[in-house]
């Protein structure tokens, strides 16, 4: 389990161990340097304390009184004859160089100090191992109190981290106790500063979920309301068809029933299209806009020809946008469908594309009755139809709502404008960065 407390204990223990180790090594070398100075001073004092008269030769087989086992001393005359040595079985090599020197000897390296005393040379030697042992003991004694801090620091860290994370556990308990309908923000009072960005991001997510659920509820309520009318009409038309007294009435009833089914089918199709245009669902990629726009115009050309409307592109430029092909096809299709639906016969619908700074602008202009000024923004609401649209005219009031939603998903701006001879729909896209 990935635990902050355990990670803190582990990393602090490793860091403290490394720090104590480095401190011990530094203390060892410092103590060894100080021990060398002390022992060198001691060796000089030993040599300086010897008498200045000549020493008599030592009798064969005779052992002189020894000094400390860590100090070895020998004296020889000008002829090289040893006249004194402190250890008969461990004789150091005679070192003619006066002063301090490091020479190999019994058991390793020795620190040797040689001094001229009259016609004799006195040599005081000490093993380096003795000095290292003293330095190591001094370093261990210094580091030992730090090692005793390990349990205390571990307990202190455990308690401190537990106290600091207590607000996090309370926030987690608050989230865990909620149900799917509770989307209120999580209180971040008392939370550590490092945890607050996560809480803020979580609250932002809750806010987006709340808005999405409100939108979904509104959509379901609107859809249920709008479907109720055509379904009721279909039921009545079916009853009229059943009660028809002759073939003529039956054909008329079935014709009304067929138109009612077409309107209901169109409404359901628009509802499904609107539900699919959700943020995060569409995959965006650089897309050349002109070929897609020409393709949509060609798709609606037969309908325009059937209604006697001149449909074509009056201007186009090259340019790419970050978009989803299917979504933009629906957007342009809805704009063309509305333009063709409300334009009279023997009129024209013009599609144009131009650049505007760092953007691409697509316009669809018809010769229809336009939209009252007070409804130019409201027609983008779901199921809202302009005041000048007759109830008998086909439509569900979702086409422009779908256009606005797809434009928002692409970061595009859509605007409607009355031209005096019709309506112009303008969609402004940002160019894709190559």
């Amino acid at each position: 389990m990935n635990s902050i407390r355990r990670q803190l204990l582990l990393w602090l223990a490793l860091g403290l161990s490394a720090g104590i180790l480095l401190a011990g090594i530094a203390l060892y070398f410092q103590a060894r340097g100080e021990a060398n100075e002390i022992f060198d001073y001691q060796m000089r004092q030993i040599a300086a304390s010897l008498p200045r008269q000549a020493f008599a030769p030592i009798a064969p087989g005779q052992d002189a009184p020894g000094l400390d086992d860590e100090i070895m001393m020998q004296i020889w005359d000008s002829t090289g004859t040893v006249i004194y040595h402190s250890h008969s079985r461990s004789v150091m090599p005679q070192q003619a160089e006066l002063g301090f020197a490091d020479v190999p000897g019994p058991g390793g390296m020795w620190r040797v100090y040689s001094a001229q005393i009259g016609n004799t040379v006195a040599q005081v030697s000490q093993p380096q191992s003795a000095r290292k042992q003293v330095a190591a003991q001094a370093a261990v004694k210094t580091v030992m109190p730090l090692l005793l801090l390990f349990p205390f620091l571990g307990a202190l860290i455990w308690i401190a981290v537990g106290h600091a994370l207590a607000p996090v556990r309370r926030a987690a308990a608050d989230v865990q106790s909620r149900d799917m309908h509770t989307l209120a923000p999580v209180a971040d009072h008392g939370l550590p500063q490092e945890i607050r960005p996560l809480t803020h991001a979580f609250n932002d997510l809750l806010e987006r979920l709340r808005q999405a659920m409100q939108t979904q509820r509104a959509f379901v309520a609107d859809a249920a309301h709008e479907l109720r009318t055509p379904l009721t009409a279909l039921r009545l038309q079916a009853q009229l068809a059943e009660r028809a007294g002759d073939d003529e009435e039956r054909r008329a009833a079935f014709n009304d029933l067929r138109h009612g089914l077409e309107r209901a089918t169109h409404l359901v199709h628009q509802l499904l299209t609107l539900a699919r245009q959700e943020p995060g669902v569409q995959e965006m990629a650089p897309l050349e806009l002109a070929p897609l726009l020409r393709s949509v115009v060609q798709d609606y050309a037969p309908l325009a020809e059937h209604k006697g409307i001149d449909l074509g592109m009056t201007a186009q430029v090259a340019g790419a946008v970050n978009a989803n092909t299917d979504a933009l096809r629906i957007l342009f299709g809805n704009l063309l469908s509305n333009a063709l639906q409300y334009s009279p016969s023997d009129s024209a619908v013009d599609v144009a594309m131009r650049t505007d700074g760092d953007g691409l602008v697509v316009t669809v202009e018809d010769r229809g009755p336009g939209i009252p000024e007070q409804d130019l923004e409201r027609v983008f609401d779901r199921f809202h139809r302009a005041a000048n649209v007759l109830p008998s005219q086909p439509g569900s009031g979702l086409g422009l709502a779908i256009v606005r939603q797809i434009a928002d998903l692409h970061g595009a701006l859509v605007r409607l404008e009355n031209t005096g001879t019709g309506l112009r729909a303008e969609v402004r896209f940002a160019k894709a960065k190559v």
Side-chain angles (χ1 to χ4, degrees):
M1 180 181 297
N2 190 7
S3 169
I4 296 178
R5 180 179 295 176
R6 291 178 181 175
Q7 287 192 13
L8 281 175
L9 285 174
L10 175 61
W11 285 104
L12 288 175
L14 292 176
L16 187 58
S17 300
I20 292 176
L21 178 62
L22 293 176
I25 294 174
L27 288 172
Y28 167 75
F29 283 105
Q30 180 181 358
R32 197 173 75 173
E34 294 176 356
N36 285 334
E37 293 180 0
I38 294 173
F39 285 123
D40 287 350
Y41 174 77
Q42 182 183 18
M43 293 170 68
R44 286 195 300 268
Q45 292 302 314
I46 292 174
S49 65
L50 294 176
R52 294 302 179 184
Q53 67 272 19
F55 291 91
I58 190 170
Q62 179 183 358
D63 285 339
L67 300 176
D68 194 324
D69 290 340
E70 296 180 353
I71 298 292
M72 181 179 292
M73 185 174 177
Q74 60 182 357
I75 303 173
W76 64 88
D77 58 14
S78 58
T79 62
T81 302
V82 176
I83 60 177
Y84 174 82
H85 55 80
S86 60
H87 295 69
S88 59
R89 291 176 294 178
S90 299
V91 179
M92 286 292 297
Q94 296 180 7
Q95 180 70 23
E97 180 182 354
L98 299 180
F100 286 99
D102 294 325
V103 298
M109 296 297 295
W110 285 65
R111 182 72 166 169
V112 177
Y113 176 72
S114 301
Q116 181 79 34
I117 300 177
N119 295 327
T120 62
V121 176
Q123 184 184 72
V124 182
S125 307
Q126 185 181 37
Q128 293 279 19
S129 59
R131 300 186 175 198
K132 293 180 180 179
Q133 182 179 2
V134 172
Q137 291 175 351
V140 169
K141 289 179 181 179
T142 305
V143 170
M144 186 60 67
L146 299 178
L147 296 177
L148 297 177
L149 291 176
F150 261 103
F152 173 75
L153 289 178
L156 181 61
I157 293 169
W158 188 271
I159 296 173
V161 173
H163 178 74
L165 294 181
V168 179
R169 288 194 296 270
R170 289 195 296 268
D174 178 24
V175 174
Q176 190 174 11
S177 63
R178 300 185 179 199
D179 57 21
M180 60 179 294
H181 301 291
T182 306
L183 298 177
V186 178
D188 59 358
H189 178 70
L191 286 178
Q193 186 176 0
E194 293 78 7
I195 304 297
R196 289 189 179 183
L198 177 61
T199 309
H200 293 167
F202 184 72
N203 287 337
D204 290 341
L205 175 61
L206 289 179
E207 177 62 21
R208 292 195 296 270
L209 287 176
R210 187 185 64 81
Q211 294 177 358
M213 290 185 66
Q214 288 181 349
T215 303
Q216 185 182 36
R217 292 191 187 103
F219 173 77
V220 171
D222 292 343
H225 178 269
E226 292 298 321
L227 284 172
R228 186 181 297 114
T229 300
L231 290 177
T232 302
L234 288 175
R235 184 171 64 252
L236 293 175
Q237 290 163 358
Q239 292 175 357
L240 291 175
E242 290 176 351
R243 298 172 184 173
D246 53 28
D247 292 340
E248 185 66 24
E249 291 181 2
R250 188 174 293 107
R251 280 195 297 271
F254 276 114
N255 187 48
D256 292 339
L257 182 61
R258 179 175 58 81
H259 287 301
L261 284 173
E262 290 177 354
R263 287 194 295 271
T265 301
H266 176 71
L267 176 59
V268 172
H269 174 73
Q270 293 287 70
L271 288 172
L272 292 176
T273 301
L274 186 62
R276 283 195 296 266
Q277 306 306 316
E278 293 294 336
V281 176
Q282 308 297 335
E283 294 182 0
M284 304 292 183
L287 172 69
E288 283 290 335
L289 207 53
L292 175 64
L293 200 54
R294 287 196 300 268
S295 174
V296 176
V297 170
Q298 291 173 1
D299 291 341
Y300 281 85
L303 177 60
E305 184 177 357
H306 176 73
K307 296 190 64 174
I309 298 175
D310 181 15
L311 172 63
M313 292 188 67
T314 59
Q316 56 182 306
V317 295
V321 297
N322 285 320
N324 178 271
T325 304
D326 296 333
L328 285 194
R329 186 176 292 275
I330 294 172
L331 183 150
F332 295 137
N334 281 356
L335 291 179
L336 286 177
S337 177
N338 285 348
L340 293 174
Q341 178 178 338
Y342 296 106
S343 293
S345 300
D346 299 327
S347 63
V349 172
D350 297 326
V351 180
M353 177 180 170
R354 72 176 191 274
T355 59
D356 185 7
D358 293 333
L360 293 173
V361 180
V362 175
T363 59
V364 177
E365 185 173 347
D366 61 36
R367 303 297 185 272
I371 298 177
E373 292 295 329
Q374 68 272 16
D375 287 334
L376 283 177
E377 280 299 320
R378 293 196 61 196
V379 291
F380 291 107
D381 297 337
R382 295 170 179 172
F383 307 111
H384 180 83
R385 306 187 73 186
N388 61 340
V389 176
L390 298 176
S392 59
Q393 288 183 288
S396 59
L398 287 174
L400 289 177
I402 294 173
V403 168
R404 170 64 65 83
Q405 185 164 350
I406 295 176
D408 291 342
L409 292 177
H410 289 77
L413 299 177
V414 58
R415 185 172 67 91
L416 300 178
E417 179 185 9
N418 289 308
T419 62
T421 58
L423 181 72
R424 180 189 299 117
E426 179 180 284
V427 186
R428 185 182 300 270
F429 296 91
K431 289 184 180 180
K433 296 181 179 179
V434 181

